[in-house]
Amino acid sequence: MANRTIAIGDPHGCSVALAALLQAIDPQPEDTIVILGDYIDRGIDSKGVLDQLIALADRRRLVPILGNHDQMMLFARKGKDDFKFWMNCGGITALDSYGSSGRIDLIPAAHFRFLERCQPYYQTETHFFVHANYKPEVALDKQDDHTLRWLSLRDSVPGPHFSGKIAVLGHTPQPDVLNLGHLFCIDTGCCNGGWLTALDVGSGVKCQVDERGRYRE
């Protein structure tokens, strides 16, 4: 189907899964791929995930959302405290994919530039996309950083947004896609034995692969 808008949940360093998922959905020039953040940490190949996304952005319409783990990597350049905080939240695994868990200077500048260009949210006429959560009564451009990137659904499940648009988000791992009608959560825990999910928000069709790139029937 032409002009698809496809959301992809949190890859978290699962580069094999991301490659298999992209092959399955086969993005076309007229499609929009919205990926919901947390590209790094936990899985073994954060570098490979970012390499793939940078390459994809060169040939297709990719809308990357900034996740909290991605934000930590950006902040880690500021000083020892920020670097230590990132290390304690999965950054060690991310840096290992670049060759050393102690050297942030091994991360290519292009990877930081990609993360710097990530968006806090994206919206269409019918849906909006954020990494973590939202306040139903607040316009998207007024949402605070903590809510957009850090607030778990375990702590707060929002009601319908006043705009009437359907929310699509990640961040809070689910056994399968969570569908509340007004809200979809598509972080399905790929790095923890679950799935990496792509959801065509127009048709409702989903595609899922595990960390090894095996498709879910």
Side-chain angles (χ1 to χ4, degrees):
M1 185 171 65
N3 301 313
R4 297 177 298 174
T5 298
I6 301 175
I8 298 176
D10 309 29
H12 269 305
C14 296
S15 64
V16 173
L18 179 61
L21 192 67
L22 291 174
Q23 182 178 27
I25 63 177
D26 188 23
Q28 298 301 302
E30 64 272 16
D31 295 334
T32 299
I33 307 301
V34 185
I35 189 160
L36 297 175
D38 280 1
Y39 312 116
I40 63 165
D41 299 347
R42 296 181 179 165
I44 64 171
D45 193 16
S46 296
K47 177 181 182 297
V49 168
L50 290 176
D51 282 340
Q52 287 184 64
L53 294 177
I54 290 168
L56 179 63
D58 285 340
R59 65 182 191 274
R60 294 293 184 263
R61 175 167 167 72
L62 177 70
V63 181
I65 304 297
L66 188 69
N68 59 309
H69 284 263
D70 315 314
Q71 187 179 61
M72 282 188 280
M73 178 169 150
L74 289 173
F75 285 176
R77 298 174 297 176
K78 293 183 177 182
K80 291 182 178 179
D81 289 342
D82 290 303
F83 181 80
K84 184 177 180 181
F85 182 70
W86 180 40
M87 291 298 99
N88 290 335
C89 295
I92 290 176
T93 306
L95 278 187
D96 280 344
S97 72
Y98 292 94
S100 171
S101 58
R103 293 186 55 189
I104 196 170
D105 62 296
L106 294 177
I107 300 174
H111 287 199
F112 284 117
R113 287 196 298 269
F114 176 83
L115 295 182
E116 288 167 347
R117 292 195 296 266
C118 288
Q119 302 182 27
Y121 64 89
Y122 176 71
Q123 60 182 326
T124 67
E125 292 183 358
T126 55
H127 293 75
F128 69 90
F129 306 80
V130 299
H131 173 64
N133 214 320
Y134 64 93
K135 293 178 178 177
E137 73 283 2
V138 178
L140 292 175
D141 62 352
K142 303 298 183 183
Q143 300 278 338
D144 64 274
D145 181 85
H146 174 76
T147 300
L148 287 177
R149 275 183 272 284
W150 290 90
L151 184 61
S152 172
L153 291 178
R154 290 186 291 269
D155 298 319
S156 177
V157 178
H161 193 257
F162 78 89
S163 66
K165 296 181 179 182
I166 296 170
V168 183
L169 45 84
H171 185 63
T172 308
Q174 309 291 324
D176 203 346
V177 173
L178 175 67
N179 179 0
L180 300 181
H182 67 282
L183 178 158
F184 286 82
C185 181
I186 64 169
D187 179 356
T188 43
C190 183
C191 63
N192 295 313
W195 307 95
L196 183 61
T197 295
L199 177 69
D200 182 333
V201 301
S203 67
V205 172
K206 68 181 179 182
C207 179
Q208 296 177 307
V209 300
D210 67 11
E211 192 170 359
R212 298 182 182 180
R214 297 174 298 192
Y215 299 96
R216 187 175 190 178
E217 296 296 332

